[in-house]
Amino acid sequence: MKLKLKRPIAFFDLETTGVNVGSDRIVEIAILKAMPDGTEEIKTLRINPEMPIPLSSSLIHGIYDEDVAQEQTFKQAARELADFIGEADLAGYNSNRFDIPVLLEEFLKAGIDFDMSDRKFVDVQNIFHQMEQRTLKAAYKFYCNKEIINAHSAEADIKATYEVLLAQIERYQDTDFEDKEGKVSKPVQNDVEALHVFTNMNKPVDFAGRMVYNEEGEETFNFGKHKGKTVEQVFDIEPSYYAWMKQGDFPLYTKKKLEEIWSRWNKKKEQNKGQKAPAVNKPAAVPRPNFVNNNPQPKKEKPAAEVTNDMLEQLKMKFGK
């Protein structure tokens, strides 16, 4: 089957020093660029990450420090890679959550603003997970080879769930599982604590998932003390949070998206100021005769203003208490 394309699409995969989007680096990139006419181009580059490759990562992808010591850095290869990808859409496996944000970080560190505004993203893993449904009905058929009678009734569903778990334990209790860091274990055990650990392992704004879109399409923080609040709400009540994130250890693309929201928020503030009613012109003051008061009276001191809750809140915001 030939993929129907209106413009090129670049399938790419990264090997990296680790899985931290903000701090880990690329050691190898492979790109398959499929063209609308059916032709394909492939480019593969080893990259010097300018940092040691942890042994745990080398054991997974087989690339060691000595393998990339003489290779070009990403900054040196960035323009070549950006030109090769060109205006192509992007595709990969788990690419939306990992490969794309890591690639964006590298381009930004290299001083290249790789435009993402008009690209399409195809994550093959998402197609797999959504088409091979993970519903209770599908699980009951797969693990127990049974159909749920009275599906979606609470009692039938919970009985099926219990049977599925027993079947999963029986099937997987001696099965090796390798996580993204290359650690191998047998996590599915007949033990609630072990199952808890294994089973508790969104529309991202910044791919790293620090900010996500809520149901109203608003950018919302997905971490920390402001989790669940919209970014603009946080700017309203604690504008210093922006500076804290900009100076913090967050991915560069997260900071870039945050800066875009900050700029938009500031424009709204300026527009709101401009929409306020104009000040009424006061009548000109009547000139007073110029004379010296030989008996000046001492000025009466104004009584101290009453401390209000609003004043206390302003002091808290000012001094960060």
Side-chain angles (χ1 to χ4, degrees), residues 15 27 46 53 55-65 67:
E15 302 299 344
V27 297
R46 288 271 176 97
I53 305 173
L55 179 60
S56 58
S57 298
S58 294
L59 290 173
I60 295 172
H61 50 55
I63 302 172
Y64 294 81
D65 291 333
D67 298 322

Side-chain angles (χ1 to χ4, degrees), residues 4 39 138 181 234 293 315:
K4 295 180 181 179
T39 59
E181 296 179 352
V234 174
N293 186 352
L315 287 169

Side-chain angles (χ1 to χ4, degrees), residues 23-47:
S23 60
D24 279 306
R25 308 296 300 271
I26 296 173
V27 297
E28 185 175 71
I29 178 171
I31 307 170
L32 185 156
K33 188 174 181 181
M35 311 298 288
D37 63 4
T39 59
E40 299 172 358
E41 301 177 52
I42 295 180
K43 180 182 288 292
T44 301
L45 293 178
R46 288 271 176 97
I47 302 292

